[in-house]
Amino acid sequence: NSYVYDSGKLRLASYRPFVKQNFYLSRTLNNSVYQIPKFFPQPNLENVIICLTGEGSLGFSTLITNLIPDLCFTKMGNGGAQCFPLYYYEENNSAQKSIFDTDDSNKYVRRDAISDFILERATNQYGKNVTKEDIFYFVYGFLHCTEYRETFANDLKKMLPRIPLVEDVKDFWAFSKAGRKLAELHLNYESVAPFSDVKVTGDD
């Protein structure tokens, strides 16, 4: 077989937590790409995804990324990462292009991965200002709750997390805001100022 190099398939990926690596996204050369082409169809189309340890893991871990994750991005024992995006993309079959049109910006349509069903539940419970993005970051904040992770430690090794809607509106916003702040740290870790009390020693 022969393969033709396509520079458009060269991407930056999250190989392991806080480790970036160049990656060539190809259904022909990659063993399994799963739903990744729907999450990141083109380099210029942005997305964020919450990655979790898969079923059968030795422990629970979660981390957000805005890059293509490796299957073992959050691996602890058996099972690959399970990924939940803020968006997914579909090909725009209704777009009309002329032979002179080279703009690919309309090739894909962005869809919300957060369902209208959960948005309706959340707005009824917490107010009409709740957005799907607020719910996404609520989930990320909640997944980092120490009490939740300790209480359901055994379940989190065997199945995907079940996230309840908290009763108090203040708790919802607290988790959502915490999730946004965590995401900011975890996505932009290379530019975040180091914590003042942390001392790093060793070779330069």
Side-chain angles (χ1 to χ4, degrees):
N1 291 340
S2 61
Y3 304 97
V4 178
Y5 173 73
D6 180 356
S7 61
K9 293 182 178 179
L10 190 64
R11 308 292 190 85
L12 193 60
S14 291
Y15 175 62
R16 292 293 184 271
F18 312 114
V19 177
K20 296 176 181 177
Q21 194 170 66
N22 287 320
F23 169 67
Y24 191 78
L25 179 61
S26 167
R27 286 190 180 275
T28 307
L29 298 176
N30 303 141
N31 180 47
S32 302
V33 297
Y34 303 101
Q35 299 295 318
I36 293 302
K38 287 186 176 181
F39 299 167
F40 300 98
Q42 289 184 332
N44 63 321
L45 296 177
E46 297 180 350
N47 207 350
V48 287
I49 55 178
I50 297 173
C51 301
L52 315 171
T53 43
E55 297 175 11
S57 296
L58 298 175
F60 178 74
S61 176
T62 180
L63 193 63
I64 199 168
T65 182
N66 54 4
L67 303 173
I68 295 172
D70 183 80
L71 178 62
C72 299
F73 179 57
T74 55
K75 186 173 181 179
M76 295 178 70
N78 298 323
Q82 298 286 319
C83 302
F84 299 89
L86 179 59
Y87 310 112
Y88 65 94
Y89 293 87
E90 293 180 342
E91 287 198 39
N92 186 2
N93 296 321
S94 63
Q96 298 291 325
K97 293 183 69 174
S98 72
I99 60 173
F100 305 106
D101 191 359
T102 59
D103 183 14
D104 283 342
S105 60
N106 294 325
K107 188 175 179 182
Y108 293 93
V109 178
R110 192 177 78 178
R111 307 289 189 196
D112 292 319
I114 306 298
S115 70
D116 292 334
F117 170 79
I118 196 62
L119 177 64
E120 184 179 358
R121 289 268 320 263
T123 52
N124 288 340
Q125 195 160 337
Y126 308 126
K128 62 181 181 180
N129 292 330
V130 175
T131 66
K132 291 182 177 183
E133 203 171 274
D134 294 328
I135 297 170
F136 180 82
Y137 289 112
F138 162 79
V139 169
Y140 194 56
F142 199 89
L143 287 171
H144 282 86
C145 174
T146 304
E147 184 179 351
Y148 169 75
R149 290 168 73 150
E150 290 176 351
T151 302
F152 298 100
N154 290 330
D155 293 324
L156 291 170
K157 292 178 184 178
K158 298 179 288 186
M159 64 183 72
L160 290 175
R162 298 186 180 196
I163 309 296
L165 286 177
V166 292
E167 293 183 12
D168 194 328
V169 63
K170 291 181 181 178
D171 290 337
F172 171 82
W173 287 113
F175 278 118
S176 184
K177 289 175 182 177
R180 282 183 187 271
K181 289 182 179 179
L182 281 171
E184 177 69 21
L185 287 171
H186 296 163
L187 294 173
N188 303 304
Y189 61 91
E190 292 168 308
S191 59
V192 173
F195 189 61
S196 58
D197 290 345
V198 172
K199 299 286 187 285
V200 179
T201 59
D203 294 338
D204 292 340

